[in-house]
Amino acid sequence: AKELGRDNIQVFTEEMAARAHERLQWQEELREALAGEEFLLHFQPQMNLGTGRIFAAEALLRWNHPVRGIISPSVFIPLAEETGLIVPIGDWALRAACRQLKAWQDAGLPPLIISVNVSARQFRERNWASRVAEILKETGLEARYLELELTESLIMQDVPGAIATMHALEAIGVHLAIDDFGTGYSSLSALKRFPVRRLKIDRSFVTDIPLDADDMAITSAIISLAQKLGLRVIAEGVESEAQVEFLQKAGCDEIQGYFFSRPLSAEAFESLLSSARP
Ligand code: C2E
Ligand code: CA
Ligand code: CA
Ligand code: CA
């Protein structure tokens, strides 16, 4: 620490001040974004491997910044989480997703499930399940068409609390999925106590199929685990035909990824769905 002279300390403090300033600025911009309707949703289809049909769409948040253009959620979600703004932003996404699906239903499009991501801060809000119920009522969407994606790490932060909220959501009629499965530390024994319908195999295990034997072994193991527990299983980040073939042979129920479709604007998704109409 002898080398850490005055100048260094000064630089360090300036840097911290700059970072704090930047954080405040982001916070301000996120708040304006929420008020100014700069957020929008894209929709990525999920396909059933047995029927070849789109059965669901994952709603993915986008920020159309007036100066910076489209900003990815991997950039602004962590900032929103840090500042707590993820709670109103996440609620906005949930409401917008429910409203969009209701509009598609009213327009006579084929039945579909909408899958919405939930952040830990949001999930831990007091009476969050009743907030979800309110949003469903407000948008007129039936609960059974909504699926919430919870990450393993969100659940593991407080297992008893998470199970209680999951049961409250289940009681409303909403379905649950575990997102990014395999990346967290959820014990397999805890898994059977979770009222979930679907496991989403994390993209990191899918990416190197069929080159990485370990990833293939892990993916197969997750699929058979899901089957034995009576859960549905979807692989995310599926980009190639070889991956589809492997997953199909391994007994995976569903896929999501660029191979089938990138996330689409509401309009583009709607025309995809209309063209797939039986
Ligand atoms: P996620 O929930 O794991 O979502 C899947 C991400 O993988 C999406 O990134 C999607 O565009 C991307 N993806 C889908 N298929 C492929 C593929 O074949 N290859 C590759 N390389 N990527 C693929 P996106 O849209 O950038 O979202 C990133 C993350 O931001 C999401 O990861 C999710 O954790 C978070 N996020 C998005 N929307 C929301 C939201 O409304 N609320 C919350 N709390 N988080 C959200
Ligand atoms: Ca997700
Ligand atoms: Ca995921
Ligand atoms: Ca992920």
Side-chain angles (χ1 to χ4, degrees), residues 19 26 40 47-48 59 64 75-76 82 96 112 120-121 129 134 138 152 186 189 192 231 252 257 265 274-275 277:
R19 211 170 301 153
W26 275 112
L40 68 153
M47 192 188 78
N48 184 300
N64 189 6
V75 173
F76 70 82
E82 247 181 82
L112 199 72
R121 288 279 282 262
E134 265 166 42
E138 194 185 308
E152 245 184 310
S186 74
S189 63
K192 74 171 187 219
L231 304 173
C252 192
S265 68
S274 309
S275 67
R277 197 184 281 203

Side-chain angles (χ1 to χ4, degrees), residues 39-40 45 68 95 100 114 117 177 190 205 222 249 260 271:
F39 291 113
L40 68 153
R68 298 177 220 251
R95 187 174 296 110
Q100 180 63 77
I114 194 87
N117 292 286
F205 300 116
I222 296 174
K249 282 205 193 99
F260 183 61
S271 34

Side-chain angles (χ1 to χ4, degrees), residues 203 206 235-241 243-244 247 254-261:
R203 184 171 85 213
V206 177
E236 67 178 2
V238 177
E239 294 186 355
S240 73
E241 188 150 15
Q243 290 167 351
V244 176
L247 291 162
E254 300 141 0
I255 57 163
Q256 177 181 346
Y258 296 168
F259 176 74
F260 183 61
S261 170

Side-chain angles (χ1 to χ4, degrees), residues 58 117 149 151 179-181 200-203 236:
E58 179 174 6
N117 292 286
E149 296 193 0
T151 60
D179 202 358
D180 303 342
F181 189 78
K200 285 192 94 169
I201 303 172
D202 190 68
R203 184 171 85 213
E236 67 178 2

